Amino acid sequence: MSGDSSRQFIWFTLIGGAQYVLDVALLYGLLLLGMDIAWANLLSRATIGLAGFLANRFITFHDTTSSLASSFPRFLIAWALTSLASTVGILWVLQLLFDGAYTANSGIAVKIVVEIVVFVVAFLIQKYWIFPRDQS
């Protein structure tokens, strides 16, 4: 990994970590309130997603050249696809391990594992598609 890519990955990890803590906390609260895990996951990801987009745009990838009109639609598409992958992954693992019956704690535990995979994919999507720049 080049120096610039390493710096980007570190910032993406720090920003993503903060997002993740807020996402999990919100998801846990929604689950305790009785919300279905699929809807709670989508709501928590949507609530935190915009702040992550802005932080990654300006801090992680230093994107000051592309317009929001070009990067934000790509972000929305990527967010929808990664959120779908996250939600389907969570439901699939819950079905596999718990026959679909889950508690707030087991839902959070499964989310932790699923989101690690989504995190790596999201970094690559953001680096090369949402905030592309000359990588040389």
Side-chain angles (χ1 to χ4, degrees):
M1 198 178 279
S2 73
D4 193 44
S5 290
S6 295
R7 182 199 58 76
Q8 290 173 340
F9 190 75
I10 290 167
W11 273 111
F12 191 80
T13 301
L14 292 172
I15 290 167
Q19 282 181 267
Y20 184 72
V21 168
L22 295 171
D23 179 19
V24 168
L26 181 56
L27 177 67
Y28 190 70
L30 293 170
L31 291 175
L32 290 177
L33 291 173
M35 184 178 268
D36 176 74
I37 195 165
W39 292 111
N41 187 56
L42 291 172
L43 180 59
S44 66
R45 287 180 60 87
T47 303
I48 307 305
L50 181 59
F53 166 76
L54 293 172
N56 283 317
R57 175 184 166 94
F58 294 111
I59 298 170
T60 304
F61 299 108
H62 296 283
D63 183 10
T64 57
T65 57
S66 69
S67 70
L68 281 176
S70 68
S71 60
F72 193 65
R74 289 191 301 257
F75 167 77
L76 288 177
I77 292 167
W79 176 87
L81 293 174
T82 57
S83 293
L84 179 64
S86 168
T87 303
V88 168
I90 289 168
L91 293 173
W92 180 75
V93 173
L94 286 173
Q95 184 62 40
L96 185 69
L97 297 179
F98 303 105
D99 199 28
Y102 61 89
T103 65
N105 290 337
S106 63
I108 293 299
V110 168
K111 180 177 177 70
I112 289 169
V113 173
V114 170
E115 290 294 340
I116 290 169
V117 175
V118 172
F119 171 83
V120 173
V121 172
F123 173 76
L124 296 172
I125 290 170
Q126 288 195 33
K127 179 173 177 63
Y128 294 108
W129 189 56
I130 297 174
F131 305 115
R133 65 178 190 189
D134 183 13
Q135 302 294 322
S136 56

